[in-house]
Amino acid sequence: MAIEFRNVRKTYPDGTTAVEDFSLTIPSRSTTVFVGSSGCGNTTLLRMINRMVDATSGQVLIDGEDVGAIEPVALRRRIGYVMQNSGLLPHRTVIDNVATVPVLTGTPKAKAREQSMALLDRVGLDRSLAKRYPGQLSGGQQQRVGVARGLAADPNILLMDEPFGAVDPIVRDELQRELLRLQRELGKTVVFVTHDIDEAFLLGTQVVILKRGGVVAQIGTPAEILARPKDDFVADFIGAKRGKRRLTVEQQGDGDDLLLVDSSGYPAGLISAPGGRLEPVLSGGSDPKSRSVSNKTDQAGDA
Amino acid sequence: MLFLDAIDWILDPEHWREVNFGPGIGEELVAHLWLTLLSVLAVAVVALPVGLYIGHTGRGRGVAVVLANVVRAVPTLGLLALLFIALPLGLGPAVFVFLLLGVPPLLAGAYAGLESVDRQTIDAARAMGFTEWQVLLRVELPLAAPLILGGLRSTVLQVIASVTLISNFGLNSLGDFILGGLASQDYPQVVAGSLLVTALALLVDGLLALVERAAAPRGVSRGDGRTTARSRRVRTAPTGAPIAEGN
Ligand SMILES: Nc1ncnc2c1ncn2[C@@H]1O[C@H](COP(=O)(O)OP(=O)(O)O)[C@@H](O)[C@H]1O
Ligand SMILES: [Mg+2]
C-alpha cells in the first residue's frame, strides 16, 4: 500500500496553515518516519492519510486512490492508528480494546476476542492482562495494547503518532526494538511520527525531516541523511542531540564507506562512498541489535 | 410534641384512607408520584437529546446555560402561579410547568457529562472508525453516565418538591396536607405533610443513587478527577475541533 501526498495543503479554520505544500511518496511495506520539532505539521500530515483531517487542497492517494473519495469511517477501519497516550477506551477491558475494530466491522465478539488474545502475544503482553482495564496498566503496557489494537483488523497501513513519546527511555527502547521485530514479521506500510531523531534513524527506512509548515528539509535513508545532511538546518537537527562527541573514523567497510564512531565506540554516522556496502546495514533489514545500540548511545549522550 | 404528633398522624391508618373527607395519604402519594413521573419523563424527552447534542457537538452551550439560569432564578411558586393564570388547569399544563422547572439540572448533567469525557479518548475512537453515533452511544454515554444520572437525581428532587405546590392550584399531591393543615390550623398535619414529602424525596433519591453507582463504568473510578482534568486541558488546546474535521 503505497501512499502518495500530492501538493497537499492544510489550513485550519482558525487560519493556521499547518502544511503549506507537501508532496511525498511513501513506499509500501516499509517504515517512513516524519521527524520534526513540535508544531511542524507531523500530526496533521499523518491524520490526512485516514481523513481525521481533510486536506484544504491537494490529494492523498493510497495505491492511486484518492482518500477524499473514500468514506472516512470505512477508510479508518482499514488503517491502524496508534497515538501517544494510547487513547484506549477506559471503560473497556484490554481484550475488548484490542478487539474494537474487528467488532465494529462485524466479526463475532468471541472470535474477535480469540484473535485479540493472539495479538497480545504478538506485542509481548501477558494474556493475564486481558481482563484488566487500561487504567490498571503501566504506560508501556498501554502503548503495547495500543499497538495491538492498531494491528487488530490486520490493516496494510499503520499510522503511529509519537507512540513511544510518553514512556520512559528504557521502556521506549524495548518498544522500539519490538516494533522493528513486528515490522520484520508483518511488513506493514508504517508511517511513524516522532520528535526524536534517534528514534527516526532507528526505525525509519525512509526518514523525512520536516520544518515548520510541513516543509521538507530532507528525505532519505538514515545513512544518506547522516552522510550528507542537505543544509545547516539538517546538520543541526541530526547533530544537536549527538552532543559534542568526538568522532573518529574507526572502521572501513567492505566497500569504501567510512563509519564514524564516537569515543565510547558506538557508531554515530556514516560517510558513504559510491557503491559503499555499509549503507544497507544502517538503512534497514539488518541486525536490530546494532541499531538499537546506536540509539542507546544517544540517550547516554543526553545524560 | 409537634413532631411526635405528626408521626402519630402519619401512622394513623384512618389517614391513609381519608383525611378531612378528602383523599388519604395513599391516594395523595400515588398522585404525587404519578405527576412526578410524568414530569420527569417529559423532562427527559426534552433535556436528554438537547443536552447530548450540546455535549457531543459543543454547539449551543451558551444559550442552554443562559436559559437554565433564567429558569433557576424564577421562584417556583411564582412561575406556577403565572402559568396557571395563563393556562387552563389540568394535568397537561401542570406537567408543562414541572418540565420547565426540571429541565435545567438534567440538561446540565447531560452536557457536562459528555464534556467530561477525555477528548483524546473520543478522538481515538473516531480514528478507529467509530461513527458519530457509535462515539455517542459506546464511548460518551457510558463514560458520562454518572454525571447524567446525577443530573437526573437533581431533576427528580426538584420535581418532587415542586409538585407539593400544585395543591394551590387544585391538583392532588402530598401538598394538600400542608395546605389543608395550614387552613385549619392543624399543625401536626402540616408537619406530617412535610415529613411525607421529605421521606419520599429521600427514598427516591436513595434509589437513584444506587442506580447511579451501578451505572458507573467499570475501569473508571467514580468521579475520576484525572479524566476530567485531562480533558479540560486538552479541550483548551487548538486541536479541540474534532467534529469539524474529517467528516
Ligand atoms: N485543529 C486545529 N486547529 C487549529 N490549528 C491547529 C489544529 N491542529 C493543529 N494546529 C496547528 O497546526 C500546526 C501543526 O500542528 P500539528 O500537525 O499537530 O504539529 P505536530 O504534530 O508536528 O506537533 C501547529 O501550529 C498547530 O498549532
Ligand atoms: Mg503531533
Side-chain angles (χ1 to χ4, degrees):
Chain A
M1 291 259 159
I3 304 167
E4 191 187 346
F5 288 86
R6 269 193 207 156
N7 301 104
V8 168
R9 176 186 181 85
K10 177 62 193 182
T11 303
Y12 283 106
D14 69 355
T16 314
T17 296
V19 174
E20 286 164 14
D21 178 8
F22 184 83
S23 296
L24 175 75
T25 300
I26 294 173
S28 62
R29 300 187 158 273
S30 66
T31 303
T32 293
V33 179
F34 292 152
V35 55
S37 45
S38 203
C40 280
N42 291 306
T43 297
T44 302
L45 284 170
L46 196 72
R47 288 161 73 94
M48 285 197 273
I49 297 171
N50 66 355
R51 291 196 64 188
M52 285 299 285
V53 171
D54 278 331
T56 310
S57 64
Q59 289 172 305
V60 179
L61 304 120
I62 296 178
D63 281 345
E65 192 182 2
D66 187 345
V67 296
I70 308 173
E71 204 273 314
V73 168
L75 179 72
R76 291 169 196 160
R77 288 180 184 175
R78 61 183 177 88
I79 296 178
Y81 189 83
V82 185
M83 56 203 272
Q84 181 169 14
N85 289 309
S86 84
L88 299 174
L89 300 179
H91 59 302
R92 293 202 182 165
T93 58
V94 164
I95 198 73
D96 285 343
N97 264 288
V98 175
T100 299
V101 181
V103 167
L104 281 180
T105 53
T107 310
K109 212 164 190 168
K111 187 162 174 235
R113 283 202 176 136
E114 202 181 298
Q115 292 169 348
S116 299
M117 277 294 184
L119 268 171
L120 291 188
D121 303 339
R122 258 244 124 99
V123 300
L125 277 173
D126 198 287
R127 285 182 177 219
S128 66
L129 298 178
K131 286 269 174 304
R132 291 221 194 150
Y133 288 93
Q136 301 167 315
L137 301 180
S138 72
Q141 289 170 331
Q142 288 185 23
Q143 289 313 111
R144 284 175 198 265
V145 177
V147 173
R149 180 175 70 170
L151 292 170
D154 197 21
N156 292 314
I157 296 171
L158 187 60
L159 308 179
M160 308 184 84
D161 193 352
E162 296 182 55
F164 312 143
V167 295
D168 68 74
I170 293 171
V171 175
R172 187 185 312 146
D173 217 52
E174 210 175 288
L175 290 171
Q176 287 168 344
R177 252 179 289 128
E178 298 229 10
L179 182 63
L180 283 171
R181 173 182 60 79
L182 267 177
Q183 175 61 351
R184 265 198 317 280
E185 292 170 12
L186 301 174
K188 304 285 183 196
T189 304
V190 178
V191 189
F192 191 106
V193 165
T194 179
H195 298 313
D196 177 356
I197 186 69
D198 298 315
E199 186 169 68
F201 283 160
L202 177 70
L203 299 176
T205 319
Q206 170 175 257
V207 173
V208 182
I209 299 180
L210 292 167
K211 296 192 224 184
R212 187 155 286 280
V215 174
V216 174
Q218 186 165 2
I219 301 177
T221 63
E224 281 164 3
I225 295 173
L226 273 167
R228 283 181 295 274
K230 203 166 133 196
D231 53 24
D232 286 351
F233 176 85
V234 177
D236 246 28
F237 195 77
I238 65 174
K241 290 192 75 186
R242 298 179 173 258
K244 290 142 199 92
R245 280 188 286 157
R246 207 160 48 82
L247 302 180
T248 48
V249 178
E250 173 142 309
Q251 266 182 23
Q252 281 191 303
D254 295 341
D256 304 320
D257 288 346
L258 298 180
L259 181 64
L260 297 179
V261 173
D262 71 7
S263 52
S264 32
Y266 291 121
L270 180 82
I271 300 174
S272 68
R277 289 193 201 151
L278 268 178
E279 199 157 327
V281 174
L282 278 180
S283 64
S286 65
D287 169 22
K289 275 230 171 81
S290 71
R291 303 184 69 199
S292 70
V293 161
S294 90
N295 179 58
K296 254 193 196 121
T297 315
D298 298 316
Q299 278 153 7
D302 288 342
Chain B
M1 205 187 130
L2 195 54
F3 182 75
L4 292 179
D5 290 345
I7 300 279
D8 276 346
W9 189 95
I10 293 172
L11 293 179
D12 183 347
E14 186 59 32
H15 288 151
W16 284 81
R17 281 192 297 274
E18 193 184 278
V19 174
N20 297 332
F21 307 108
I25 298 174
E27 196 183 332
E28 298 283 28
L29 197 61
V30 169
H32 202 114
L33 276 175
W34 179 237
L35 190 48
T36 300
L37 181 71
L38 288 180
S39 304
V40 169
L41 284 179
V43 168
V45 166
V46 174
L48 277 182
V50 175
L52 295 182
Y53 175 84
I54 292 171
H56 181 76
T57 63
R59 265 172 268 181
R61 190 176 191 278
V63 181
V65 170
V66 170
L67 282 182
N69 283 336
V70 167
V71 174
R72 273 189 190 136
V74 175
T76 307
L77 191 58
L79 185 66
L80 276 170
L82 203 68
L83 281 155
F84 280 109
I85 290 168
L87 297 169
L89 277 183
L91 203 59
V95 167
F96 176 71
V97 172
F98 297 129
L99 166 72
L100 287 185
L101 292 169
V103 157
L106 182 56
L107 183 68
Y111 67 66
L114 292 208
E115 279 172 1
S116 76
V117 179
D118 192 335
R119 294 297 104 177
Q120 280 200 25
T121 303
I122 295 171
D123 183 76
R126 239 176 231 127
M128 293 298 110
F130 282 70
T131 63
E132 289 308 304
W133 275 111
Q134 286 166 338
V135 169
L136 180 66
L137 296 178
R138 303 190 190 182
V139 181
E140 290 179 315
L141 266 185
L143 290 171
L147 279 177
I148 296 176
L149 286 169
L152 181 69
R153 271 172 76 184
S154 306
T155 288
V156 170
L157 283 183
Q158 168 80 30
V159 172
I160 287 183
S162 307
V163 164
T164 311
L165 301 173
I166 200 75
S167 303
N168 295 291
F169 306 94
L171 285 175
N172 283 349
S173 84
L174 291 172
D176 286 345
F177 301 136
I178 300 172
L179 206 66
L182 284 173
S184 59
Q185 300 193 337
D186 182 349
Y187 295 113
Q189 182 183 321
V190 173
V191 176
S194 312
L195 283 178
L196 285 169
V197 175
T198 309
L200 180 66
L202 288 177
L203 193 72
V204 172
D205 192 50
L207 288 177
L208 286 174
L210 290 181
V211 175
E212 189 181 327
R213 183 169 306 174
R218 304 236 292 137
V220 185
S221 59
R222 246 158 64 83
D224 190 338
R226 191 190 46 148
T227 306
T228 318
R230 200 197 294 160
S231 67
R232 258 195 215 112
R233 199 185 64 219
V234 171
R235 214 179 312 131
T236 55
T239 43
I243 304 287
E245 278 307 325
N247 283 298

